[in-house]
Amino acid sequence: MILQFRLWILNCTFFFLSCLFRALTSVVALGANIICNKIPGLAPRQRALCQSRPDAIIVIGEGAQLGINECQYQFRYSRWNCSALGERTVFGQELRVGSREAAFTYAITAAGVAHAVTAACSQGNLSQCGCDRDKQGYHDQEEGWKWGGCSADVKYGVEFSRRFVDAREIKKNARRLMNLHNNEAGRKILEERMKLECKCHGVSGSCTTKTCWITLPKFREIGYLLKGRYSEAVQVEPVRASRLRQPSFLRLKLARGYQKPTDTDLVYLERSPNYCEEDKATGSTGTQGRLCNGTSTSADGCNVMCCGRGFNTHQYTKVWQCNCKFHWCCFVKCNTCSERSEVFTCK
């Protein structure tokens, strides 16, 4: 009788815990739905992925912001400086013109999401992923090392970026092909820059055993590489299938035959605007009030940055105490130093 009572209590406990778990799961799911529905700029498939993986949406947002920050750093001395990106949301399409700048934006954002997801997996901050399981315990007999530590699972990060970032491309037009190509180019460059790091193990600094693992590159390195690709971006045009109106692939414009861009080329459809005046349609904030370099002839120079409108000169005087000396006893005597500087802003 006592045994049956204990079994009954145990069954009730399991039933209660099961109900509690289902209730908590329902609350989490409801919370995910509310959060994901309030994020502006998400495409339907992105919203569905957000609801199924609410733990990942924060990391995805951090990755997209990483891309925007890097874009603003790389173009800080240019007329177009990415300042309009991310004002409303870090998700969704930002530039309507299919220009070089749009190509860079898509590539750096896709790479940023892949980089952030890969890092989160390695740090144990995301469920359903971790270290790269394919790089565990394998010995390279020729070079005398073996896999060890936690190798970054960049394949998972790239695939997650592909599932989320590419999901916003719904319309079957030339711009979709351009965006998807640039997304993939950004992720491809990240994959190619993964680094092999090794550590020696042995007595007195000897290298009896060497273990190696794969690590992510600094994202600044990816930014510089993509900035170089931006400078060498190629113009493309869509090729339409004979029976279908929608474009099937992109080819290099003005090239003979059907020559396609390479996997890591950044591609664009339309020439860039000059970004001199404010224009929300092109993502231009204009250059009025921008700082410029009065002696430079490059993109940051006042003649180029201000688009021929001229510039204002502001003079400032900075005053501070300098050359301070201690005198016995007991006071400190300082000189007064000053420095005049000039700051130039576009009219």
Side-chain angles (χ1 to χ4, degrees), residues 70-288:
E70 186 60 29
C71 181
Q72 292 174 349
Y73 175 83
Q74 294 295 336
F75 288 88
R76 63 196 185 280
Y77 298 132
S78 303
R79 288 179 182 173
W80 180 77
N81 61 354
C82 302
S83 59
L85 298 181
E87 287 183 349
R88 187 173 66 90
T89 173
V90 295
F91 305 110
Q93 184 171 312
E94 294 286 350
L95 297 179
R96 297 179 185 177
V97 178
S99 60
R100 291 171 180 261
E101 292 73 34
F104 183 90
T105 299
Y106 279 78
I108 199 72
T109 303
V113 171
H115 191 283
V117 170
T118 304
C121 289
S122 299
Q123 296 163 4
N125 294 333
L126 269 183
S127 60
Q128 302 182 19
C129 66
C131 304
D132 190 347
R133 295 181 179 180
D134 294 335
K135 295 178 174 59
Q136 291 290 335
Y138 174 78
H139 292 259
D140 190 315
Q141 300 295 340
E142 294 182 0
E143 298 187 19
W145 57 269
K146 66 177 182 179
W147 290 113
C150 179
S151 287
D153 193 355
V154 69
K155 291 182 180 179
Y156 184 92
V158 164
E159 180 57 32
F160 205 101
S161 170
R162 189 177 291 123
R163 286 174 58 198
F164 185 86
V165 179
D166 292 5
R168 64 185 173 183
E169 304 305 328
I170 302 173
K171 297 180 180 179
K172 295 184 178 180
N173 52 20
R175 181 61 190 270
R176 173 180 178 270
L177 295 178
M178 170 191 155
N179 294 343
L180 290 176
H181 178 94
N182 291 318
N183 288 347
E184 201 62 34
R187 292 187 288 255
K188 184 73 173 176
I189 287 176
L190 174 65
E191 282 189 287
E192 291 179 350
R193 302 307 294 184
M194 298 296 289
K195 300 181 183 297
L196 181 69
E197 290 189 5
C198 298
K199 184 177 181 180
C200 284
H201 308 274
V203 181
S204 301
S206 64
C207 202
T208 307
T209 306
K210 184 165 68 171
T211 57
C212 302
W213 58 94
I214 299 295
T215 62
L216 280 165
K218 298 291 185 182
F219 199 69
R220 180 56 39 85
E221 180 182 347
I222 304 301
Y224 278 119
L225 289 170
L226 285 176
K227 181 67 181 298
R229 295 290 180 178
Y230 161 86
S231 302
E232 300 171 356
V234 294
Q235 190 170 13
V236 293
E237 60 184 2
V239 176
R240 302 181 186 278
S242 57
R243 295 182 180 180
L244 300 174
R245 294 182 177 181
Q246 61 191 36
S248 54
F249 66 93
L250 299 172
R251 70 169 181 178
L252 298 183
K253 195 170 185 178
L254 304 179
R256 294 182 179 180
Y258 293 97
Q259 185 179 353
K260 296 181 180 180
T262 67
D263 291 343
T264 55
D265 279 336
L266 294 191
V267 301
Y268 65 97
L269 294 166
E270 306 166 77
R271 294 181 61 182
S272 301
N274 59 26
Y275 296 108
C276 288
E277 305 296 334
E278 184 178 1
D279 186 353
K280 293 183 179 179
T282 61
S284 172
T285 56
T287 62
Q288 184 177 3

